[in-house]
Amino acid sequence: MNALKAHVENGRIVVEGSVDLPDGTALELDLRVVDDEDELDETERARLHEALDRAIDSARAGRTVDADQAIRRVLSRS
C-alpha cells in the first residue's frame, strides 16, 4: 500500500480519502510530519523551475558530466 495523507483534527489522525481495507484491520503507523512550506517566494520558485527546465533540456541534449568526475572536481576545490 502507498503512503496515506492525513491531518490532525481535535487530537485525532484523520485520513484524507478512503482506504481499501476491511473494518477492524490493525495498522502500525510510522508518523512523519510533512513540512509543505519552504522559504521561496513566487519569483524565486519561478527561477528555480526555469533553471530545472534548462538543466533537463541540457541533459536531454547530451550535455552531461560523469558523476565521479563532478565529485572529483568539487572535492579538489576544498
Side-chain angles (χ1 to χ4, degrees), residues 10-66:
N10 297 321
R12 294 186 178 263
I13 297 171
V14 179
V15 175
E16 297 174 9
S18 62
V19 293
D20 187 22
L21 296 169
D23 287 347
T25 300
L27 302 173
E28 182 176 309
L29 304 175
D30 292 320
L31 300 179
R32 178 176 49 100
V33 175
V34 177
D35 182 7
D36 289 335
E37 298 295 320
D38 59 36
E39 298 174 7
L40 299 178
D41 64 27
E42 293 304 316
T43 301
E44 293 168 324
R45 186 176 315 286
R47 289 177 55 205
L48 171 62
H49 285 271
E50 289 168 6
L52 291 170
D53 288 340
R54 285 193 306 274
I56 291 168
D57 290 344
S58 184
R60 285 183 177 149
R63 295 184 299 271
T64 61
V65 176
D66 178 75

Side-chain angles (χ1 to χ4, degrees), residues 67-78:
D68 290 330
Q69 181 182 13
I71 291 169
R72 281 193 296 276
R73 284 185 194 170
V74 170
L75 292 176
S76 71
R77 295 178 188 166
S78 0

